[in-house]
Amino acid sequence: MGLSVGIVGLPNVGKSTLFNALTSSAGAESANYPFCTIDPNVGVVPVPDPRLEEITKYIPPQKLIPASVDIVDIAGLVKGASRGEGLGNKFLANIRETDAILMVVRCFDDGNVVHVDGSVDPVRDIETIALELVYADVETVEKRLKRCQSMAKTGKAEAKAELAFVEKLNDVLTDGKWARTIEPQNDDEAKWMREMHLLTTKPVLYACNVDEESIAEGGNAYVDTVRAHAEAEGNGVVVVSARIEEELIGVEGDDLDEMLEAYGLTEPALHSLIRACYELLGLQSYFTAGEKEVRAWTVPIGATAPQAAGVIHTDFEKGFIRANVYTLDDLREYKTEAAIRAAGRLRSEGKDYVVKDGDIMHFLFNV
């Protein structure tokens, strides 16, 4: 499974600057005026994982393939976007199928950078964006509601059940609440919810964009208000400086270490953002390793061995026989797979095995 994240925020809060930094590109224009981003920008970002490169020291491959994250950046949303204000609302469809929302929030003062609402208030900004996402979902649900009302006239039990669920969903959204406050009571309700690709079912990670002085401190008073707001919602928070991250583009090795140290950082924001996204979505990585390639794969925490195999190919899950599993610690100790096998450390796991983060796996299957 691939991870995809949609970036949202008010205009001029650093969304496109952060997108450029995360994707190490200049693909998203950034400037000091609202609605700079017109067309959606999409970037594919490799997931930083030092374990992957360490595996290649023992098993040199022809190719090294990290897991990846698709990042979608759309035009900034403003209050009234659902009624046609600004540009961002018409691009919300581009992030409906993403797994999570990365909401960039301005948490710095700078008189030279225009704020669309005239002042810095991150919680107000969050509430503005959240309400526009709700309004966008209301439009989606109302369309579904009309269809359900027509189908329910047939008298079929399933059609009536769907109508009742969509009516409940519509009531919640029109009350200004997020769809994820409704817990589907059965598989049918979960399916109907998924089919609508509602924005307000997605987990949110707030990216607090701070100035250079605040980044070494881990935040500021603005960030504190966002953390309190996020905790009440069950959402995540990361602190970034989009301006610093943009400066780090293309810098590697010792030069990167020196720049990070100068800013009081231990790693680029990409690393903490990806970790936070994985934690928010309950994801982990396992690896496959051989002469042709060493590769990272993303699976949910709690995935079984057949489910992990299915991420590679559905046939692997259907015809799963067993998985041969070892760890990076085994590889560090014994240096080769052959030595791991000879030492009896190569485990043969069946259909009930729950994959652990960092497992190195080979699958046997029959189709």
Side-chain angles (χ1 to χ4, degrees):
M1 61 179 293
L3 173 64
S4 58
V5 176
I7 300 182
V8 300
L10 294 176
N12 228 27
V13 297
K15 285 191 317 88
S16 296
T17 302
L18 184 60
F19 175 86
N20 289 340
L22 294 178
T23 58
S24 299
S25 71
E29 184 184 357
S30 57
N32 183 23
Y33 53 87
F35 312 126
C36 179
T37 301
I38 303 299
D39 297 318
N41 296 293
V42 182
V44 180
V45 179
V47 174
D49 194 329
R51 297 173 300 181
L52 192 64
E53 293 192 5
E54 188 174 357
I55 291 170
T56 67
K57 295 177 182 178
Y58 305 100
I59 307 175
Q62 296 172 20
K63 290 191 296 183
L64 176 65
I65 306 176
S68 63
V69 178
D70 292 341
I71 298 181
V72 183
D73 174 36
I74 65 169
L77 299 172
V78 295
K79 188 175 183 179
S82 57
R83 301 188 300 275
E85 298 291 333
L87 299 169
N89 191 55
K90 68 179 182 178
F91 296 124
L92 284 173
N94 294 93
I95 62 171
R96 284 201 176 277
E97 296 189 26
T98 59
D99 300 300
I101 290 175
L102 178 64
M103 193 181 297
V104 182
V105 186
R106 176 170 170 174
C107 291
F108 64 89
D109 290 308
D110 187 338
N112 295 318
V113 180
V114 178
H115 190 290
V116 71
D117 286 330
S119 62
V120 179
D121 184 339
V123 173
R124 177 202 60 203
D125 295 350
I126 287 170
E127 291 172 346
T128 296
I129 297 298
L131 200 54
E132 293 307 320
L133 298 181
V134 167
Y135 288 153
D137 279 352
V138 167
E139 185 177 340
T140 298
V141 171
E142 285 180 344
K143 290 178 182 177
R144 182 79 170 224
L145 186 59
K146 289 179 181 178
R147 195 184 83 180
C148 290
Q149 288 168 338
S150 176
M151 293 294 294
K153 292 177 182 178
T154 64
K156 293 182 179 179
E158 182 179 350
K160 289 182 178 180
E162 182 177 357
L163 174 60
F165 177 71
V166 176
E167 285 176 337
K168 181 169 65 173
L169 195 54
N170 188 57
D171 289 343
V172 166
L173 289 166
T174 53
D175 197 34
K177 298 175 183 176
W178 279 43
R180 72 181 191 190
T181 59
I182 291 180
E183 185 70 32
Q185 299 301 303
N186 53 54
D187 290 344
D188 283 338
E189 289 188 356
K191 181 191 72 170
W192 298 328
M193 183 86 89
R194 285 195 305 270
E195 288 173 348
M196 286 182 275
H197 298 292
L198 298 177
L199 297 163
T200 59
T201 60
K202 303 181 188 302
V204 174
L205 180 65
Y206 296 117
C208 295
N209 187 15
V210 301
D211 53 31
E212 296 177 8
E213 290 74 23
S214 298
I215 192 68
E217 305 279 335
N220 53 33
Y222 291 133
V223 174
D224 291 341
T225 64
V226 175
R227 285 193 173 115
H229 185 85
E231 185 176 355
E233 297 177 327
N235 289 323
V237 176
V238 291
V239 180
V240 303
S241 171
R243 186 175 298 173
I244 291 175
E245 294 302 318
E246 196 170 40
E247 290 180 15
L248 298 178
I249 292 175
V251 182
E252 299 177 347
D254 292 340
D255 291 338
L256 176 60
D257 292 338
E258 288 178 13
M259 287 188 68
L260 289 171
E261 184 178 355
Y263 286 119
L265 300 172
T266 57
E267 62 182 2
L270 171 63
H271 297 206
S272 57
L273 274 170
I274 297 299
R275 280 201 307 273
C277 285
Y278 268 56
E279 182 178 347
L280 193 66
L281 292 165
L283 301 175
Q284 63 184 0
S285 296
Y286 79 88
F287 307 106
T288 52
E291 183 180 328
K292 289 187 177 180
E293 67 178 34
V294 170
R295 184 165 183 167
W297 303 87
T298 302
V299 294
I301 294 172
T304 62
Q307 290 169 334
V311 172
I312 300 175
H313 197 287
T314 54
D315 285 347
F316 284 24
E317 182 173 3
K318 293 175 184 176
F320 178 89
I321 298 173
R322 68 177 185 274
N324 291 331
V325 185
Y326 61 97
T327 68
L328 182 54
D329 283 339
D330 293 328
L331 198 53
R332 289 172 181 141
E333 182 175 355
Y334 295 101
K335 312 306 180 189
T336 68
E337 283 191 14
I340 292 170
R341 185 187 297 272
R345 296 288 288 272
L346 185 69
R347 293 177 281 119
S348 180
E349 303 287 0
K351 293 182 178 180
D352 295 331
Y353 177 70
V354 176
V355 176
K356 297 178 178 60
D357 185 51
D359 276 348
I360 304 172
M361 309 181 75
H362 293 293
F363 299 104
L364 282 76
F365 66 98
N366 182 27
V367 293

